[in-house]
Amino acid sequence: MKMQHIRNFCIIAHIDHGKSTLADRLLQITGTVADKDMQAQLLDDMDLERERGITIKSHAIQMDYQHHSQDFILNLIDTPGHVDFSYEVSRSIAACEGALLVIDASQGIEAQTISNLYLALDHDLEIIPVLNKIDLPGAKPEEVKDQVVDLLGCDPNEIILASAKEGIGIEEILSAIVEKIPPPQGDPEAPLRAMIFDSVFNSYRGIEVYFRVFNGSITKGDRVKFVNTGKIYKAEEIGVLKLKQMPKNTIGAGNVGYLISGVKIAKEVKVGDTITLAQNPTAEAVKGFENVKPMVFAGIYPVETSDYEELRASMEKLQLNDASLVWEPETSAALGFGFRCGFLGMLHMEIVQERLEREFDMTVITTVPSVQFNAVHNDGHITEINAPSDMPDPVQLSHIEEPFIKAQIITKSEYIGPIISLAIEKRGVITNQVYLTTDRVELMFELPLSEIVFDFYDKLKTISRGYASLDYELLGFRTSKMVKLDIMLNGETVDALSAVVHRDKAFEWGKRLCEKLRQLLPRQMFDIAIQASIGTKVIARETIRALRKNVTAKCYGGDITRKRKLLEKQKKGKKRMRQVGNVEIPQEAFMAVLKLD
């Protein structure tokens, strides 16, 4: 098919604004999916996505559509809506020429809508605004239309009113995609130049690569070269992505497809890499998308040390499917060999842990999450601290810098007070407050990232009854009074429970953590001292009392010295046990820090 009859587009929206339902309707109306195969959230094929009602992965699918008796190919790349998966969105946007901006007619514009829109505008995508859920009793189409006109500066008549659930306005959306989104640009005669925007691991066929062709074409049997890694493979199978994969002989410029070439090693495929032909390579690679910037770091360790290599293989396979996951090996005195992982946020971390357990059958222990700090030494050189164990000796340090973010919160005006209080409690500063409408406010804060990685999002949703939406971007590093808080059990530091916290909060943090551990650790035959310390100074302590066995139960009658002799013997045994006994720490104890409220 000619390039002018191809349209590549994605759907961008805030979480829960009806993106997946709209994708379902588009597939149904274009006849891509037979009615017998239809189910809700069709493209969300992970159990986790269905359970939580969120999209985690971007999915590509091709539809055939006839417009004014002319056949068109529409390539839809569905995107997630949660702030933690914005990297997936950036990859989808890099492979498209246009985007449907879906806005809930009852909730209006939210923070993630704006941030995804800016991502699309940066790539010069054609934006088609769609007002979804107009059939809801709480819908305010006219009011939300005004918000969209303010945001995009478009004509109010360009905004399509739709209800994905009821199938209203779907034909208008399809016509707008064909008429407004430009066809792909590219030279079909030039050397092959294609970009990998996703990949998945298939245990039978190796790694499946999803790509978008910018110039030239790829034919089955070609020898293809991955520019970044320099590896050359034979294109054993190529094809397009319908509901199931459809093999083809050739995929031309402007189209989206998949490639199976028997790649078995996960490291050899990099998302954002360029594919070209081995005998006639392209002169310049595709400008891929920017490298991912992890926000939250945590250690992931196998429960059984012998599973370390298996966990490494699982992480490599998962990284293929989730390019925003960053990891490197590390060791811990308490937990043995494991990996230090970088995540985009707390939800991302939770999802990765769930996927390791479900898809790869790996039971893992996750340590306390932290963010990256910069330690500035007295001689001026800087060390990056991704884990509390990396913290240098305080004597050598000039100061510590922590990352700050610019947070944008959009909420109803009645919740302004509690939200500002929450931000101030988290050491935040309010920088701007703008009324978008009479009862919707945009609040801008500068906050330390370390304060929001734990429970800020949950608390924000609780305070605002689920109305407030959060989006954030990194501002840079600023000097802060951070200290390393160590947790000791029987005088031995447990490195996996250490944390880097602000000095003003260290005492309260240590006290609450000790109390929590006292409830969670099982009692032993000896006393267990739980202490929180900064350097050598102990700032909090709790004691778990020993289980007491009544050794004098068998002594009835007789001299008191018999009882004393048994008690003395027990005392010596307990002392020896305390010296050699070790304390088992359950997984809940590591996660207890997250639950500190």
Side-chain angles (χ1 to χ4, degrees):
M1 184 166 282
K2 291 178 183 164
M3 273 169 65
Q4 59 261 41
H5 296 142
I6 296 175
R7 299 288 182 272
N8 298 318
F9 71 101
C10 59
I11 304 178
I12 54 179
H14 189 80
I15 190 168
D16 206 26
H17 277 206
K19 221 171 21 296
S20 300
T21 315
L22 177 60
D24 290 350
R25 287 298 85 74
L26 293 173
L27 296 176
Q28 216 169 1
I29 291 209
T30 54
T32 309
V33 181
D35 287 343
K36 66 179 173 44
D37 295 328
M38 194 62 213
Q39 55 172 331
Q41 285 176 268
L42 186 78
L43 292 180
D44 296 345
D45 49 12
M46 240 187 271
D47 292 344
L48 263 175
E49 292 179 312
R50 296 186 166 281
E51 283 168 24
R52 292 175 178 240
I54 56 174
T55 304
I56 292 167
K57 278 289 302 157
S58 58
H59 297 268
I61 192 161
Q62 191 176 91
M63 301 176 274
D64 297 317
Y65 178 62
Q66 205 170 46
H67 183 67
H68 297 325
S69 62
Q70 173 65 54
D71 288 335
F72 285 88
I73 283 179
L74 309 182
N75 286 313
L76 159 65
I77 302 176
D78 185 27
T79 63
H82 194 282
V83 62
D84 278 14
F85 303 110
S86 55
Y87 190 64
E88 290 280 333
V89 182
S90 74
R91 290 160 42 193
S92 305
I93 284 173
C96 294
E97 277 82 33
L100 296 180
L101 178 70
V102 179
I103 295 154
D104 186 327
S106 60
Q107 293 190 332
I109 287 172
E110 305 216 30
Q112 197 59 33
T113 319
I114 298 173
S115 97
N116 285 346
L117 172 68
Y118 288 155
L119 266 179
L121 291 174
D122 284 347
H123 284 78
D124 295 330
L125 263 61
E126 179 65 40
I127 307 291
I128 299 172
V130 176
L131 221 56
N132 194 20
K133 306 193 186 183
I134 56 163
D135 58 316
L136 287 183
K140 302 174 289 233
E142 293 310 314
E143 192 182 311
V144 179
K145 253 188 185 182
D146 293 343
Q147 292 178 25
V148 178
V149 171
D150 285 348
L151 183 67
L152 283 177
C154 62
D155 185 337
N157 300 326
E158 289 178 22
I159 300 168
I160 302 171
L161 299 178
S163 164
K165 203 169 191 178
E166 301 298 325
I168 303 166
I170 305 297
E171 284 291 353
E172 289 91 321
I173 292 172
L174 286 164
S175 302
I177 289 168
V178 170
E179 289 161 12
K180 291 185 182 173
I181 293 177
Q185 302 295 312
D187 181 357
E189 305 305 317
L192 172 68
R193 184 164 161 258
M195 179 186 77
I196 301 175
F197 65 86
D198 206 356
S199 54
V200 290
F201 185 81
N202 181 324
S203 45
Y204 299 105
R205 313 190 65 182
I207 293 158
E208 297 173 3
V209 172
Y210 298 160
F211 61 89
R212 151 80 201 268
V213 183
F214 287 99
N215 287 340
S217 61
I218 180 170
T219 308
K220 184 179 178 181
D222 280 345
R223 286 173 59 73
V224 293
K225 179 181 178 183
F226 290 11
V227 174
N228 198 328
T229 55
K231 300 283 183 186
I232 293 174
Y233 294 100
K234 183 183 173 192
E236 289 172 7
E237 181 180 314
I238 59 168
V240 294
L241 298 148
K242 297 276 181 137
L243 190 57
K244 294 192 168 60
Q245 293 172 341
M246 283 187 66
K248 296 265 184 198
N249 279 329
T250 304
I251 293 176
N255 217 335
V256 172
Y258 71 91
L259 160 73
I260 296 173
S261 54
V263 187
K264 290 285 190 287
I265 301 164
K267 284 196 201 78
E268 290 178 11
V269 176
K270 285 193 166 62
V271 169
D273 196 359
T274 305
I275 303 176
T276 187
L277 294 179
Q279 65 270 34
N280 183 16
T282 178
E284 57 168 333
V286 178
K287 184 178 171 291
F289 16 87
E290 70 284 354
N291 281 332
V292 57
K293 291 195 284 281
M295 297 283 191
V296 178
F297 293 86
I300 287 187
Y301 292 84
V303 172
E304 296 293 330
T305 326
S306 54
D307 292 342
Y308 174 72
E309 283 304 326
E310 201 180 324
L311 178 61
R312 177 193 283 274
S314 304
M315 297 283 273
E316 283 178 358
K317 288 172 191 170
L318 185 57
Q319 195 175 23
L320 274 178
N321 199 239
D322 180 356
S324 53
L325 174 64
V326 180
W327 54 270
E328 57 183 33
E330 77 161 1
T331 51
S332 150
L335 299 169
F337 292 101
F339 300 96
R340 189 86 199 150
C341 304
F343 307 97
L344 295 181
M346 291 301 285
L347 177 68
H348 185 212
M349 175 178 135
E350 214 177 299
I351 295 295
V352 166
Q353 195 179 342
E354 281 275 325
R355 287 184 70 182
L356 280 171
E357 290 184 2
R358 290 184 187 208
E359 294 173 31
F360 302 101
D361 208 19
M362 294 297 309
T363 317
V364 293
I365 289 177
T366 313
T367 63
V368 179
S370 69
V371 299
Q372 185 179 57
F373 298 95
N374 282 347
V376 182
H377 292 251
N378 293 327
D379 58 4
H381 83 274
I382 295 174
T383 313
E384 288 183 352
I385 302 171
N386 287 334
S389 54
D390 300 344
M391 187 80 117
D393 185 359
V395 181
Q396 304 167 3
L397 288 182
S398 157
H399 60 272
I400 291 177
E401 295 176 340
E402 68 170 326
F404 269 69
I405 55 154
K406 183 167 90 181
Q408 174 197 37
I409 295 172
I410 296 179
T411 179
K412 287 200 160 186
S413 51
E414 62 203 81
Y415 305 120
I416 293 176
I419 287 173
I420 293 176
S421 303
L422 172 69
I424 290 170
E425 181 194 319
K426 299 282 185 187
R427 298 191 284 128
V429 178
I430 184 162
T431 56
N432 199 1
Q433 179 175 334
V434 181
Y435 275 81
L436 301 172
T437 63
T438 48
D439 70 336
R440 283 173 73 76
V441 187
E442 179 187 54
L443 300 168
M444 301 296 271
F445 294 100
E446 288 184 1
L447 286 150
L449 182 61
S450 57
E451 292 285 347
I452 75 154
V453 294
F454 291 125
D455 55 357
F456 182 80
Y457 190 64
D458 295 345
K459 283 190 174 172
L460 178 69
K461 284 290 183 195
T462 310
I463 286 172
S464 64
R465 299 187 186 169
Y467 277 110
S469 59
L470 167 75
D471 183 45
Y472 57 84
E473 61 183 82
L474 207 57
L475 279 177
F477 285 80
R478 297 180 187 174
T479 304
S480 259
K481 293 189 293 184
M482 307 304 290
V483 291
K484 182 184 173 195
L485 180 73
D486 285 318
I487 298 295
M488 298 191 292
L489 293 180
N490 275 350
E492 282 190 29
T493 305
V494 182
D495 59 349
L497 285 174
S498 300
V500 178
V501 295
H502 195 267
R503 187 176 280 281
D504 297 348
K505 296 195 167 189
F507 173 73
E508 177 199 356
W509 182 272
K511 190 171 181 345
R512 278 169 25 202
L513 190 50
C514 288
E515 285 169 1
K516 194 81 176 181
L517 286 170
R518 196 187 76 198
Q519 296 162 15
L520 288 169
L521 293 180
R523 288 171 72 188
Q524 307 281 352
M525 297 300 290
F526 51 91
D527 283 1
I528 304 171
I530 306 167
Q531 293 165 308
S533 69
I534 298 171
T536 52
K537 184 183 176 188
V538 174
I539 57 169
R541 171 180 170 133
E542 293 285 335
T543 308
I544 299 176
R545 291 281 166 226
L547 286 167
R548 184 154 181 269
K549 183 181 172 191
N550 188 359
V551 287
T552 57
K554 61 186 179 187
C555 296
Y556 43 91
D559 190 3
I560 185 69
T561 51
R562 281 183 66 200
K563 288 186 180 178
R564 208 168 276 151
K565 190 175 166 190
L566 285 168
L567 289 168
E568 281 298 320
K569 192 177 172 189
Q570 183 187 34
K571 194 171 159 186
K572 277 183 192 160
K574 288 213 171 194
K575 188 178 174 187
R576 191 169 64 250
M577 197 187 282
R578 182 172 177 169
Q579 283 165 355
V580 298
N582 63 342
V583 184
E584 289 288 318
I585 305 173
Q587 163 76 355
E588 299 88 72
F590 291 111
M591 298 315 284
V593 179
L594 297 184
K595 306 289 182 284
L596 286 179
D597 42 42

